[in-house]
Amino acid sequence: MAFIITSPCKTEKAGECVEVCPVDCIEEGKDMFYIDPDICIDCGACEAVCPVEAIYMEDEVPEEEHEYISLNRLFFENR
């Protein structure tokens, strides 16, 4: 199970998560960042540095942010 980046990233898109990821699994999209679930090692480094608390473990994504689970999958399926 990977981490998911949710809506607060759309207004911030700070990028600290990219800098700390030890496996380079975070990619920049047009409006926000996305985490590749096939590469993510669930270390949590990205979650700890996110200034807007946009990153969650997939099973902990708040109900109102569940659409971002699908958006994350679609981002990597459509590359």
Side-chain angles (χ1 to χ4, degrees):
M1 182 176 313
F3 282 85
I4 302 290
I5 300 176
T6 60
S7 66
C9 183
K10 288 184 113 171
T11 57
E12 180 67 27
K13 202 175 177 187
E16 286 94 331
C17 56
V18 176
E19 296 171 16
V20 300
C21 180
V23 294
D24 296 324
C25 71
I26 303 172
E27 294 188 25
E28 185 172 1
K30 181 181 175 196
D31 298 327
M32 59 183 286
F33 290 99
Y34 297 89
I35 297 175
D36 189 332
D38 294 330
I39 300 173
C40 180
I41 59 170
D42 302 332
C43 70
C46 59
E47 181 182 32
V49 299
C50 181
V52 292
E53 299 179 0
I55 304 173
Y56 297 89
M57 284 294 293
E58 184 174 348
D59 64 349
E60 295 177 0
V61 173
E63 182 97 21
E64 64 274 10
E65 298 285 332
H66 275 202
E67 69 181 289
Y68 287 89
I69 297 170
S70 298
L71 290 173
N72 190 76
R73 286 190 187 121
L74 286 172
F75 178 82
F76 290 101
E77 287 175 3
N78 295 324
R79 289 187 305 159

